[in-house]
Amino acid sequence: MTKYIEFLKKAFSGEETDFTKVNIRSAVLLLAIPMMLEMAMESVFALVDLYFVGHLKESGFAIQTVGLTESVLSIMYSIAIGMSMAATALVARRIGEKNPEQASRSAAQVLLVSFAITFILSLLGVIYAEEILILMGSKPEAAAYGKNFTRIMMGSSTIIMLLFLINGIFRGAGNAMIAMKSLWIANIANIILCPILIKGLGPVPALGLTGAALATTIGRSIGVIYQLYHLLVADTQIRIKLPYFKPNYSLIKSIIKIATPGIFQFVIASCSWIFLAELVATTGGENASAGYQTALRLMMFFMLPAWGLSNAASTLVGQNMGANEMLRAEQSVMKTVKYNVIFMLVVSLIFLFMGNFLVSFFTQEMAIKDFAKNALQIMSIGFIFYGIGMVMINAFNGAGDTWTPTWVNLFGFWLFQIPLAYFLSKYLDLGPKGVFISIPAAETLITIVAFILFKKGKWKTIKV
């Protein structure tokens, strides 16, 4: 017992570790424990919002607005994740080469490029918030009700980008503890502010759905301030200095080369989820849409820790490739797969047997609960494959091979999942259930293809 406690203390200490030298099992777990908790905290944002807005008077409109806004924001997340992939790959490779100064310069350039891209999209989201909700399948009265929530959330896209991106930088350096703490701080602030701003307290007026958006944005901003302190001021392995922000066009070219397919990779996936959300809304109505969004938020609460665990593979592949330890890089991936399969098996059982109990926390509307429970039980069938697939995807990305998972996602989501969802829901008249079935079917196919390509080993030849 004592050795396990000591191990956990080391995982949470944030002390610098050479992950190219320590035992592979230890390397995976030292990274995975804080990374899983980091991702769990990211999912808490949406769940906290969903819990409080689910108890508002117009709960159907509110839940739908939160869900549809999150679906659109997933495009912003895609850009942030794509850029963070470039940051993780470049920083991890330079750390593996024992060159922390160049790792810091790479991080500064990624921040420079990312800010320019996200600012423009954020502005468009603020201007066209109501139109975006209607385009997503929301009724005009629901869109009018939720437009301020969407406007604030879209306007905070730069903060979202920084939160993801800077954490990607620290993960690449192997300092997962700072990444985890930043999201804990952001979530604690959000949890405190949500009831105050939504329901009102003393001189603070009850802002309802708009208060949820403000609480989340303020919470994330506090988390970013904590990140920037450790990136710019504190004595850490990655320390960005002001001159590092001077544009380095050769480095920017390398960043764009890695990040562009990485962004497409997640935009492809995110847009497919947007299409599915619209298909559920049009075939099942408001209750089906709210139920589906509730199920997705619950699913992501458990999925994001699995994604955090798979992020360990990304860091270990990048650092070991930098140290020219190709066999160790591959072994690290397979060890991560083992742990993720165990985790996702447990999650599958929870959803199969406790779906109704979990949904009850967020809504008491029977029609919404029925759709949410049905969605959870069907989607959980493919969780084990999903767990394997996300490790494979992160392994490719950690190597800097962002094109392979991009093509896999394009094939799996747009050439298989969407046609299948449309066929089942429309032509076989299964409605929302057809959409739910298409999700585990596509994830299973994507995992099989990704695993085969990983074993072929082309990723080992990538230079960054």
Side-chain angles (χ1 to χ4, degrees), residues 180-196:
M180 185 198 80
K181 282 182 177 178
S182 66
L183 279 171
W184 275 83
I185 290 168
N187 268 285
I188 290 169
N190 184 45
I191 291 167
I192 293 170
L193 290 171
C194 253
I196 295 173

Side-chain angles (χ1 to χ4, degrees), residues 50-57 59 199 360-364:
L50 196 62
Y51 174 80
F52 284 108
V53 304
H55 291 80
L56 291 172
K57 186 177 179 181
S59 64
K199 297 181 178 181
S360 297
F361 277 103
F362 302 99
T363 181
Q364 294 303 317

Side-chain angles (χ1 to χ4, degrees), residues 345-360 373 376-378 380-381 383:
L345 176 61
V346 174
V347 174
S348 297
L349 294 174
I350 290 172
F351 277 14
L352 281 171
F353 297 108
M354 298 178 63
N356 193 55
F357 173 75
L358 293 171
V359 169
S360 297
K373 180 184 175 182
L376 283 178
Q377 291 179 338
I378 292 173
S380 67
I381 295 169
F383 278 3

Side-chain angles (χ1 to χ4, degrees), residues 129-152:
E130 189 170 356
E131 290 82 357
I132 287 169
L133 287 172
I134 292 172
L135 185 65
M136 286 291 296
S138 180
K139 292 178 182 177
E141 57 269 30
Y145 174 84
K147 65 182 179 183
N148 286 334
F149 176 89
T150 304
R151 186 169 286 131
I152 294 168

